[in-house]
Amino acid sequence: MTTTQRFATTCIHAGQQPDLLSGALMTPVYFTSTYIQEGLNQHRGYEYARTRNPTRDAVEGNLAALEGAEFGVAFASGLAATQAVLELLSSGDHLVLGDNVYGGTFRLVDKIMSRFGLTYTQVDTSDLAALRAAIQPHTKLVMLETPTNPMLGLTDIEAVRGLLKELGAPAILAVDNTFATPFNQRPLELGADLVFHSTTKYLNGHSDSIGGVVVTNSAELSERLHFIQNAAGAILSPMESWLVLRGTKTLHLRMERHNANALQIARWLEQRKDLKSVYYPGLESHPQHELAKRQMKGFSGIVSFDTGDAERTRRMAATFKIFALAESLGGVESLICHPVSMTHGSVPEGDRAKLGITDSLLRLSVGVEDVRDLIEDLEQALKA
Ligand SMILES: *Cc1c(COP(=O)(O)O)cnc(C)c1O
């Protein structure tokens, strides 16, 4: 891979080369647990498949390149990747966590990692004054998401990097880029140290695998993450690695359509008179639209809207014909989610209310179908 390659070419080729044995153009799925050694201490870099697998190597190289990173480390799920990032810390360290991060991320920190002596502060990372106040001398990690789920709030990554620098804080800045994808936003270029993903969502893109990845330009962090990957063992399987590789070959095409469909739907929803609010960073009415334009190339496929009427929302949820009522996001097919009763059920009611996650809120994962069919589906559901 040359550094001058454009994104679409990187999607299709990075990390991969024709199979050395057969010339197979597509990376084989290496279903093996071990590798023959020619003699004592003589092998081809592969000894045991928890440590290294050629299919996983390929997807790690591919995903790293997409984020403009040198190193990638793939895990069994997005949360396994998140846990590996947290395992860079030690007992007694403090971390700052966005106040609207993925529920599973909060649960992992609050219910598991905190039992091992990590302390944390949750804060609205878009509020630099609040973030400044949350940083302590022993803060070793700032972990944030932008855009957030399901409220689509943004954090200025460059500004957070600037703040950490100004404070001389030794904290690693880690950004969950699952919602934006590297097609739309490249946090490493904005000053993040680590970017992590649930590949389950847009990177794989077909709702048929669970996986995660952490990428970085720091050789030191990469080495420590590979150590954790091997020592703790939450690796991405060869089959899942192959599925993600297949997925990223069309990432640029899918994201173009996700971006376009979602923007059109957000605009269509916004001009209706019967909705209380529409949340989408690509709308001029989004309070951080200027930041969105500066930080993102496109605004991705998630749109949330609030009917202002919980009864109506609950009635609507089951009337869609194309949008499937389901958790998750980022696949080619459109999904609809009622956060309060689905993804955000475990968030305490008071916290939900503070974030704006009401009973009357719906979140769309806009797929790559014909947008006219999606709008017709929304129209009939809004009438129901
Ligand atoms: C889904 C998701 C995760 C967790 O990923 P899994 O693959 O489900 O473990 C983390 N962060 C975000 C933003 C997600 O959407």
Side-chain angles (χ1 to χ4, degrees), residues 38-233:
E38 285 93 49
L40 293 178
N41 291 319
Q42 273 181 281
H43 54 75
R44 303 177 204 184
Y46 297 97
E47 297 162 89
Y48 186 62
R50 172 166 22 79
T51 318
R52 268 189 87 188
N53 176 289
T55 319
R56 198 173 81 226
D57 281 357
V59 80
E60 288 178 340
N62 180 262
L63 298 177
L66 292 178
E67 288 284 2
E70 210 169 324
F71 310 102
V73 195
F75 293 91
S77 66
L79 280 174
T82 311
Q83 173 152 28
V85 173
L86 293 167
E87 283 169 346
L88 292 167
L89 306 193
S90 301
S91 175
D93 289 346
H94 173 257
L95 72 121
V96 172
L97 195 62
D99 66 345
N100 186 202
V101 291
Y102 180 70
T105 302
F106 173 70
R107 182 175 57 194
L108 175 60
V109 170
D110 183 59
K111 295 284 191 293
I112 298 183
M113 301 313 286
S114 67
R115 288 198 277 115
F116 295 86
L118 291 188
T119 56
Y120 71 92
T121 305
Q122 257 198 315
V123 68
D124 175 0
T125 50
S126 74
D127 178 348
L128 285 184
L131 181 58
R132 178 187 292 269
I135 306 248
Q136 302 175 21
H138 61 303
T139 302
K140 295 292 172 60
L141 176 68
V142 173
M143 186 178 260
L144 61 88
E145 273 168 45
T146 178
T148 59
N149 173 28
M151 300 314 294
L152 303 160
L154 305 187
T155 289
D156 186 336
I157 299 168
E158 240 172 345
V160 172
R161 166 48 62 200
L163 175 66
L164 294 177
K165 205 165 174 186
E166 181 202 320
L167 296 173
I172 294 167
L173 176 56
V175 175
D176 182 336
N177 205 29
T178 301
F179 266 48
T181 82
F183 181 80
N184 287 321
Q185 172 174 281
R186 309 235 290 180
L188 294 177
E189 290 167 6
L190 301 168
D193 301 299
L194 297 175
V195 170
F196 60 105
H197 280 271
S198 167
T199 63
T200 311
K201 316 294 166 51
Y202 287 109
L203 295 182
N204 181 62
H206 295 74
S207 306
D208 53 12
S209 87
I210 298 277
V213 73
V214 189
V215 304
T216 182
N217 275 317
S218 156
E220 188 241 316
L221 288 174
S222 159
E223 196 175 309
R224 289 171 62 198
L225 288 163
H226 270 114
F227 181 86
I228 291 166
Q229 181 193 41
N230 182 50

Side-chain angles (χ1 to χ4, degrees), residues 86 170 195 284 333 373:
L86 293 167
V195 170
E284 287 74 14
E333 69 293 324
D373 292 324

